[in-house]
mmCIF file of all heavy atoms in Angstrom:
data_model
loop_
_atom_site.group_PDB
_atom_site.id
_atom_site.type_symbol
_atom_site.label_atom_id
_atom_site.label_comp_id
_atom_site.label_asym_id
_atom_site.label_seq_id
_atom_site.Cartn_x
_atom_site.Cartn_y
_atom_site.Cartn_z
ATOM 1 N N ALA A 219 -8.402 -30.318 39.581
ATOM 2 C CA ALA A 219 -8.072 -30.242 41.008
ATOM 3 C C ALA A 219 -7.493 -28.885 41.388
ATOM 4 O O ALA A 219 -7.183 -28.638 42.541
ATOM 5 C CB ALA A 219 -7.073 -31.349 41.361
ATOM 6 N N ARG A 220 -7.366 -27.989 40.417
ATOM 7 C CA ARG A 220 -6.660 -26.742 40.689
ATOM 8 C C ARG A 220 -7.628 -25.636 41.092
ATOM 9 O O ARG A 220 -8.796 -25.648 40.751
ATOM 10 C CB ARG A 220 -5.890 -26.330 39.440
ATOM 11 C CG ARG A 220 -5.225 -27.534 38.791
ATOM 12 C CD ARG A 220 -4.481 -27.155 37.560
ATOM 13 N NE ARG A 220 -3.373 -26.261 37.869
ATOM 14 C CZ ARG A 220 -2.575 -25.775 36.935
ATOM 15 N NH1 ARG A 220 -2.789 -26.047 35.669
ATOM 16 N NH2 ARG A 220 -1.588 -24.984 37.276
ATOM 17 N N GLY A 221 -7.102 -24.690 41.807
ATOM 18 C CA GLY A 221 -7.910 -23.541 42.217
ATOM 19 C C GLY A 221 -7.829 -22.436 41.188
ATOM 20 O O GLY A 221 -6.983 -22.458 40.298
ATOM 21 N N ARG A 222 -8.712 -21.486 41.329
ATOM 22 C CA ARG A 222 -8.808 -20.375 40.391
ATOM 23 C C ARG A 222 -7.490 -19.623 40.245
ATOM 24 O O ARG A 222 -7.103 -19.256 39.147
ATOM 25 C CB ARG A 222 -9.896 -19.421 40.905
ATOM 26 C CG ARG A 222 -10.339 -18.383 39.936
ATOM 27 C CD ARG A 222 -11.474 -17.587 40.546
ATOM 28 N NE ARG A 222 -12.716 -18.332 40.588
ATOM 29 C CZ ARG A 222 -13.587 -18.378 39.586
ATOM 30 N NH1 ARG A 222 -13.347 -17.720 38.489
ATOM 31 N NH2 ARG A 222 -14.682 -19.058 39.696
ATOM 32 N N VAL A 223 -6.785 -19.437 41.337
ATOM 33 C CA VAL A 223 -5.560 -18.638 41.266
ATOM 34 C C VAL A 223 -4.392 -19.416 40.687
ATOM 35 O O VAL A 223 -3.380 -18.839 40.314
ATOM 36 C CB VAL A 223 -5.159 -18.101 42.659
ATOM 37 C CG1 VAL A 223 -6.213 -17.147 43.165
ATOM 38 C CG2 VAL A 223 -4.931 -19.230 43.643
ATOM 39 N N ASP A 224 -4.535 -20.754 40.604
ATOM 40 C CA ASP A 224 -3.424 -21.562 40.100
ATOM 41 C C ASP A 224 -3.474 -21.784 38.603
ATOM 42 O O ASP A 224 -2.550 -22.334 38.030
ATOM 43 C CB ASP A 224 -3.415 -22.934 40.791
ATOM 44 C CG ASP A 224 -3.220 -22.790 42.287
ATOM 45 O OD1 ASP A 224 -2.442 -21.913 42.677
ATOM 46 O OD2 ASP A 224 -3.860 -23.530 43.039
ATOM 47 N N LEU A 225 -4.569 -21.382 37.974
ATOM 48 C CA LEU A 225 -4.744 -21.674 36.555
ATOM 49 C C LEU A 225 -3.738 -20.909 35.708
ATOM 50 O O LEU A 225 -3.455 -19.744 35.961
ATOM 51 C CB LEU A 225 -6.159 -21.309 36.111
ATOM 52 C CG LEU A 225 -7.284 -22.131 36.734
ATOM 53 C CD1 LEU A 225 -8.631 -21.607 36.257
ATOM 54 C CD2 LEU A 225 -7.140 -23.608 36.407
ATOM 55 N N ASP A 226 -3.202 -21.584 34.697
ATOM 56 C CA ASP A 226 -2.341 -20.906 33.737
ATOM 57 C C ASP A 226 -3.196 -19.999 32.865
ATOM 58 O O ASP A 226 -4.407 -20.142 32.796
ATOM 59 C CB ASP A 226 -1.615 -21.927 32.855
ATOM 60 C CG ASP A 226 -0.578 -22.710 33.656
ATOM 61 O OD1 ASP A 226 -0.139 -22.184 34.699
ATOM 62 O OD2 ASP A 226 -0.248 -23.818 33.242
ATOM 63 N N ASP A 227 -2.520 -19.101 32.146
ATOM 64 C CA ASP A 227 -3.251 -18.149 31.328
ATOM 65 C C ASP A 227 -4.107 -18.829 30.260
ATOM 66 O O ASP A 227 -5.141 -18.311 29.866
ATOM 67 C CB ASP A 227 -2.270 -17.177 30.663
ATOM 68 C CG ASP A 227 -1.838 -16.092 31.639
ATOM 69 O OD1 ASP A 227 -2.446 -16.013 32.732
ATOM 70 O OD2 ASP A 227 -0.920 -15.348 31.320
ATOM 71 N N ASP A 228 -3.664 -20.001 29.775
ATOM 72 C CA ASP A 228 -4.445 -20.655 28.719
ATOM 73 C C ASP A 228 -5.521 -21.584 29.284
ATOM 74 O O ASP A 228 -6.109 -22.363 28.564
ATOM 75 C CB ASP A 228 -3.524 -21.405 27.747
ATOM 76 C CG ASP A 228 -2.714 -22.488 28.451
ATOM 77 O OD1 ASP A 228 -2.857 -22.636 29.679
ATOM 78 O OD2 ASP A 228 -1.945 -23.180 27.768
ATOM 79 N N GLU A 229 -5.774 -21.502 30.568
ATOM 80 C CA GLU A 229 -6.803 -22.344 31.189
ATOM 81 C C GLU A 229 -7.931 -21.522 31.805
ATOM 82 O O GLU A 229 -8.835 -22.063 32.409
ATOM 83 C CB GLU A 229 -6.186 -23.197 32.316
ATOM 84 C CG GLU A 229 -5.060 -24.098 31.872
ATOM 85 C CD GLU A 229 -4.420 -24.832 33.038
ATOM 86 O OE1 GLU A 229 -3.978 -24.154 33.992
ATOM 87 O OE2 GLU A 229 -4.377 -26.069 33.007
ATOM 88 N N ARG A 230 -7.861 -20.199 31.649
ATOM 89 C CA ARG A 230 -8.764 -19.323 32.407
ATOM 90 C C ARG A 230 -10.114 -19.109 31.746
ATOM 91 O O ARG A 230 -11.061 -18.711 32.390
ATOM 92 C CB ARG A 230 -8.131 -17.936 32.596
ATOM 93 C CG ARG A 230 -6.792 -17.938 33.263
ATOM 94 C CD ARG A 230 -6.189 -16.544 33.275
ATOM 95 N NE ARG A 230 -5.955 -16.062 31.926
ATOM 96 C CZ ARG A 230 -6.334 -14.879 31.472
ATOM 97 N NH1 ARG A 230 -6.949 -14.046 32.269
ATOM 98 N NH2 ARG A 230 -6.099 -14.538 30.227
ATOM 99 N N LEU A 231 -10.147 -19.279 30.416
ATOM 100 C CA LEU A 231 -11.324 -18.853 29.660
ATOM 101 C C LEU A 231 -11.931 -20.006 28.872
ATOM 102 O O LEU A 231 -11.251 -20.961 28.517
ATOM 103 C CB LEU A 231 -10.927 -17.721 28.700
ATOM 104 C CG LEU A 231 -10.200 -16.537 29.345
ATOM 105 C CD1 LEU A 231 -9.696 -15.571 28.277
ATOM 106 C CD2 LEU A 231 -11.111 -15.811 30.326
ATOM 107 N N TYR A 232 -13.220 -19.859 28.555
ATOM 108 C CA TYR A 232 -13.914 -20.904 27.801
ATOM 109 C C TYR A 232 -13.757 -20.757 26.293
ATOM 110 O O TYR A 232 -13.561 -21.743 25.589
ATOM 111 C CB TYR A 232 -15.407 -20.870 28.137
ATOM 112 C CG TYR A 232 -15.733 -21.460 29.487
ATOM 113 C CD1 TYR A 232 -16.121 -20.643 30.541
ATOM 114 C CD2 TYR A 232 -15.674 -22.827 29.701
ATOM 115 C CE1 TYR A 232 -16.433 -21.172 31.773
ATOM 116 C CE2 TYR A 232 -15.987 -23.373 30.937
ATOM 117 C CZ TYR A 232 -16.363 -22.543 31.968
ATOM 118 O OH TYR A 232 -16.668 -23.075 33.190
ATOM 119 N N VAL A 233 -13.910 -19.538 25.786
ATOM 120 C CA VAL A 233 -13.945 -19.381 24.330
ATOM 121 C C VAL A 233 -13.017 -18.306 23.776
ATOM 122 O O VAL A 233 -12.583 -18.408 22.617
ATOM 123 C CB VAL A 233 -15.396 -19.086 23.834
ATOM 124 C CG1 VAL A 233 -16.287 -20.299 24.064
ATOM 125 C CG2 VAL A 233 -15.971 -17.840 24.494
ATOM 126 N N TYR A 234 -12.702 -17.274 24.540
ATOM 127 C CA TYR A 234 -11.934 -16.147 24.016
ATOM 128 C C TYR A 234 -10.609 -16.626 23.403
ATOM 129 O O TYR A 234 -9.816 -17.279 24.076
ATOM 130 C CB TYR A 234 -11.674 -15.098 25.095
ATOM 131 C CG TYR A 234 -10.804 -13.973 24.597
ATOM 132 C CD1 TYR A 234 -11.332 -12.976 23.805
ATOM 133 C CD2 TYR A 234 -9.446 -13.962 24.874
ATOM 134 C CE1 TYR A 234 -10.529 -11.963 23.312
ATOM 135 C CE2 TYR A 234 -8.629 -12.960 24.385
ATOM 136 C CZ TYR A 234 -9.182 -11.967 23.605
ATOM 137 O OH TYR A 234 -8.378 -10.980 23.114
ATOM 138 N N HIS A 235 -10.417 -16.273 22.135
ATOM 139 C CA HIS A 235 -9.168 -16.580 21.436
ATOM 140 C C HIS A 235 -8.880 -18.081 21.369
ATOM 141 O O HIS A 235 -7.714 -18.489 21.331
ATOM 142 C CB HIS A 235 -7.992 -15.860 22.106
ATOM 143 C CG HIS A 235 -7.070 -15.218 21.115
ATOM 144 N ND1 HIS A 235 -6.446 -15.933 20.130
ATOM 145 C CD2 HIS A 235 -6.690 -13.941 20.957
ATOM 146 C CE1 HIS A 235 -5.702 -15.098 19.416
ATOM 147 N NE2 HIS A 235 -5.839 -13.892 19.880
ATOM 148 N N ARG A 236 -9.926 -18.917 21.363
ATOM 149 C CA ARG A 236 -9.721 -20.371 21.346
ATOM 150 C C ARG A 236 -10.260 -21.005 20.070
ATOM 151 O O ARG A 236 -10.608 -22.193 20.079
ATOM 152 C CB ARG A 236 -10.377 -21.008 22.575
ATOM 153 C CG ARG A 236 -9.790 -20.549 23.919
ATOM 154 C CD ARG A 236 -10.236 -21.434 25.076
ATOM 155 N NE ARG A 236 -9.611 -22.743 25.015
ATOM 156 C CZ ARG A 236 -10.258 -23.897 24.923
ATOM 157 N NH1 ARG A 236 -11.575 -23.920 24.886
ATOM 158 N NH2 ARG A 236 -9.611 -25.030 24.877
ATOM 159 N N ASP A 237 -10.329 -20.256 18.955
ATOM 160 C CA ASP A 237 -10.907 -20.829 17.741
ATOM 161 C C ASP A 237 -10.151 -22.080 17.301
ATOM 162 O O ASP A 237 -8.927 -22.106 17.256
ATOM 163 C CB ASP A 237 -10.976 -19.803 16.606
ATOM 164 C CG ASP A 237 -9.706 -18.983 16.469
ATOM 165 O OD1 ASP A 237 -9.290 -18.406 17.485
ATOM 166 O OD2 ASP A 237 -9.142 -18.939 15.374
ATOM 167 N N GLY A 238 -10.963 -23.115 17.011
ATOM 168 C CA GLY A 238 -10.409 -24.394 16.581
ATOM 169 C C GLY A 238 -10.107 -25.350 17.729
ATOM 170 O O GLY A 238 -10.013 -26.552 17.526
ATOM 171 N N LEU A 239 -9.963 -24.809 18.938
ATOM 172 C CA LEU A 239 -9.693 -25.666 20.098
ATOM 173 C C LEU A 239 -11.003 -26.256 20.623
ATOM 174 O O LEU A 239 -12.071 -25.691 20.425
ATOM 175 C CB LEU A 239 -9.005 -24.847 21.211
ATOM 176 C CG LEU A 239 -7.619 -24.299 20.838
ATOM 177 C CD1 LEU A 239 -7.108 -23.380 21.941
ATOM 178 C CD2 LEU A 239 -6.650 -25.459 20.606
ATOM 179 N N PRO A 240 -10.940 -27.414 21.288
ATOM 180 C CA PRO A 240 -12.169 -28.056 21.756
ATOM 181 C C PRO A 240 -12.827 -27.295 22.908
ATOM 182 O O PRO A 240 -12.144 -26.829 23.820
ATOM 183 C CB PRO A 240 -11.694 -29.447 22.214
ATOM 184 C CG PRO A 240 -10.240 -29.280 22.488
ATOM 185 C CD PRO A 240 -9.739 -28.239 21.538
ATOM 186 N N CYS A 241 -14.141 -27.174 22.840
ATOM 187 C CA CYS A 241 -14.908 -26.578 23.938
ATOM 188 C C CYS A 241 -14.619 -27.338 25.224
ATOM 189 O O CYS A 241 -14.572 -28.574 25.229
ATOM 190 C CB CYS A 241 -16.410 -26.654 23.604
ATOM 191 S SG CYS A 241 -17.484 -26.147 24.971
ATOM 192 N N ARG A 242 -14.430 -26.632 26.326
ATOM 193 C CA ARG A 242 -14.107 -27.278 27.601
ATOM 194 C C ARG A 242 -15.275 -28.108 28.128
ATOM 195 O O ARG A 242 -15.109 -28.924 29.023
ATOM 196 C CB ARG A 242 -13.717 -26.236 28.639
ATOM 197 C CG ARG A 242 -12.486 -25.421 28.268
ATOM 198 C CD ARG A 242 -11.963 -24.629 29.461
ATOM 199 N NE ARG A 242 -11.022 -23.580 29.049
ATOM 200 C CZ ARG A 242 -9.749 -23.818 28.708
ATOM 201 N NH1 ARG A 242 -9.286 -25.029 28.732
ATOM 202 N NH2 ARG A 242 -8.969 -22.811 28.350
ATOM 203 N N ARG A 243 -16.472 -27.867 27.590
ATOM 204 C CA ARG A 243 -17.637 -28.616 28.084
ATOM 205 C C ARG A 243 -18.040 -29.747 27.150
ATOM 206 O O ARG A 243 -18.444 -30.803 27.603
ATOM 207 C CB ARG A 243 -18.814 -27.670 28.273
ATOM 208 C CG ARG A 243 -18.567 -26.696 29.409
ATOM 209 C CD ARG A 243 -19.865 -26.282 30.068
ATOM 210 N NE ARG A 243 -19.587 -25.536 31.286
ATOM 211 C CZ ARG A 243 -20.232 -24.443 31.645
ATOM 212 N NH1 ARG A 243 -21.211 -23.959 30.891
ATOM 213 N NH2 ARG A 243 -19.927 -23.837 32.771
ATOM 214 N N CYS A 244 -17.986 -29.502 25.814
ATOM 215 C CA CYS A 244 -18.522 -30.520 24.906
ATOM 216 C C CYS A 244 -17.531 -30.935 23.832
ATOM 217 O O CYS A 244 -17.856 -31.767 22.980
ATOM 218 C CB CYS A 244 -19.820 -30.019 24.268
ATOM 219 S SG CYS A 244 -19.545 -28.774 22.997
ATOM 220 N N ALA A 245 -16.336 -30.364 23.841
ATOM 221 C CA ALA A 245 -15.244 -30.744 22.927
ATOM 222 C C ALA A 245 -15.464 -30.327 21.469
ATOM 223 O O ALA A 245 -14.610 -30.581 20.621
ATOM 224 C CB ALA A 245 -14.950 -32.252 22.995
ATOM 225 N N THR A 246 -16.580 -29.686 21.175
ATOM 226 C CA THR A 246 -16.794 -29.166 19.815
ATOM 227 C C THR A 246 -15.798 -28.030 19.549
ATOM 228 O O THR A 246 -15.551 -27.216 20.434
ATOM 229 C CB THR A 246 -18.234 -28.613 19.692
ATOM 230 O OG1 THR A 246 -19.147 -29.648 20.040
ATOM 231 C CG2 THR A 246 -18.509 -28.111 18.287
ATOM 232 N N PRO A 247 -15.233 -27.967 18.345
ATOM 233 C CA PRO A 247 -14.288 -26.873 18.056
ATOM 234 C C PRO A 247 -14.952 -25.497 18.216
ATOM 235 O O PRO A 247 -16.054 -25.265 17.711
ATOM 236 C CB PRO A 247 -13.884 -27.128 16.596
ATOM 237 C CG PRO A 247 -14.102 -28.588 16.400
ATOM 238 C CD PRO A 247 -15.302 -28.937 17.238
ATOM 239 N N ILE A 248 -14.253 -24.605 18.908
ATOM 240 C CA ILE A 248 -14.735 -23.238 19.110
ATOM 241 C C ILE A 248 -14.660 -22.488 17.785
ATOM 242 O O ILE A 248 -13.733 -22.684 17.008
ATOM 243 C CB ILE A 248 -13.873 -22.521 20.180
ATOM 244 C CG1 ILE A 248 -13.986 -23.234 21.532
ATOM 245 C CG2 ILE A 248 -14.261 -21.054 20.304
ATOM 246 C CD1 ILE A 248 -15.394 -23.315 22.076
ATOM 247 N N ARG A 249 -15.641 -21.635 17.544
ATOM 248 C CA ARG A 249 -15.674 -20.880 16.291
ATOM 249 C C ARG A 249 -15.424 -19.391 16.526
ATOM 250 O O ARG A 249 -15.510 -18.915 17.673
ATOM 251 C CB ARG A 249 -17.015 -21.092 15.593
ATOM 252 C CG ARG A 249 -17.239 -22.580 15.277
ATOM 253 C CD ARG A 249 -18.301 -22.783 14.256
ATOM 254 N NE ARG A 249 -18.077 -21.953 13.078
ATOM 255 C CZ ARG A 249 -19.005 -21.752 12.137
ATOM 256 N NH1 ARG A 249 -20.203 -22.298 12.259
ATOM 257 N NH2 ARG A 249 -18.742 -21.002 11.097
ATOM 258 N N MET A 250 -15.107 -18.690 15.440
ATOM 259 C CA MET A 250 -14.745 -17.274 15.542
ATOM 260 C C MET A 250 -15.391 -16.494 14.402
ATOM 261 O O MET A 250 -15.521 -17.020 13.297
ATOM 262 C CB MET A 250 -13.216 -17.137 15.470
ATOM 263 C CG MET A 250 -12.685 -15.730 15.630
ATOM 264 S SD MET A 250 -12.517 -14.833 14.085
ATOM 265 C CE MET A 250 -11.055 -15.648 13.430
ATOM 266 N N LYS A 251 -15.817 -15.263 14.683
ATOM 267 C CA LYS A 251 -16.327 -14.367 13.655
ATOM 268 C C LYS A 251 -16.242 -12.941 14.170
ATOM 269 O O LYS A 251 -15.994 -12.704 15.361
ATOM 270 C CB LYS A 251 -17.784 -14.711 13.317
ATOM 271 C CG LYS A 251 -18.759 -14.391 14.432
ATOM 272 C CD LYS A 251 -20.186 -14.675 14.042
ATOM 273 C CE LYS A 251 -20.631 -13.779 12.914
ATOM 274 N NZ LYS A 251 -22.033 -13.928 12.568
ATOM 275 N N GLU A 252 -16.444 -11.972 13.272
ATOM 276 C CA GLU A 252 -16.444 -10.574 13.708
ATOM 277 C C GLU A 252 -17.856 -10.118 14.037
ATOM 278 O O GLU A 252 -18.793 -10.389 13.275
ATOM 279 C CB GLU A 252 -15.860 -9.672 12.609
ATOM 280 C CG GLU A 252 -14.356 -9.633 12.612
ATOM 281 C CD GLU A 252 -13.783 -8.386 11.968
ATOM 282 O OE1 GLU A 252 -14.564 -7.456 11.659
ATOM 283 O OE2 GLU A 252 -12.560 -8.335 11.779
ATOM 284 N N VAL A 253 -18.004 -9.446 15.170
ATOM 285 C CA VAL A 253 -19.263 -8.795 15.528
ATOM 286 C C VAL A 253 -18.905 -7.408 16.042
ATOM 287 O O VAL A 253 -18.085 -7.282 16.959
ATOM 288 C CB VAL A 253 -20.043 -9.574 16.615
ATOM 289 C CG1 VAL A 253 -21.322 -8.831 16.975
ATOM 290 C CG2 VAL A 253 -20.360 -10.993 16.155
ATOM 291 N N ALA A 254 -19.492 -6.389 15.439
ATOM 292 C CA ALA A 254 -19.208 -4.998 15.811
ATOM 293 C C ALA A 254 -17.731 -4.660 15.632
ATOM 294 O O ALA A 254 -17.133 -3.962 16.456
ATOM 295 C CB ALA A 254 -19.661 -4.720 17.250
ATOM 296 N N GLY A 255 -17.139 -5.197 14.555
ATOM 297 C CA GLY A 255 -15.779 -4.817 14.230
ATOM 298 C C GLY A 255 -14.700 -5.475 15.058
ATOM 299 O O GLY A 255 -13.522 -5.181 14.868
ATOM 300 N N ARG A 256 -15.093 -6.352 15.964
ATOM 301 C CA ARG A 256 -14.089 -7.066 16.773
ATOM 302 C C ARG A 256 -14.355 -8.554 16.640
ATOM 303 O O ARG A 256 -15.495 -8.979 16.501
ATOM 304 C CB ARG A 256 -14.209 -6.679 18.268
ATOM 305 C CG ARG A 256 -14.318 -5.189 18.553
ATOM 306 C CD ARG A 256 -13.002 -4.460 18.494
ATOM 307 N NE ARG A 256 -11.991 -5.021 19.368
ATOM 308 C CZ ARG A 256 -11.888 -4.763 20.674
ATOM 309 N NH1 ARG A 256 -12.741 -3.945 21.254
ATOM 310 N NH2 ARG A 256 -10.933 -5.296 21.387
#
Side-chain angles (χ1 to χ4, degrees):
Chain A
R220 318 179 64 181
R222 192 176 287 273
V223 296
D224 299 322
L225 295 177
D226 291 337
D227 280 350
D228 60 359
E229 302 176 304
R230 303 174 297 131
L231 307 173
Y232 284 108
V233 293
Y234 176 78
H235 224 302
R236 297 193 71 240
D237 44 307
L239 296 174
C241 173
R242 299 193 195 283
R243 292 210 170 137
C244 74
T246 304
I248 298 301
R249 300 197 51 193
M250 183 270 286
K251 69 177 296 185
E252 277 203 9
V253 178
R256 313 281 305 278

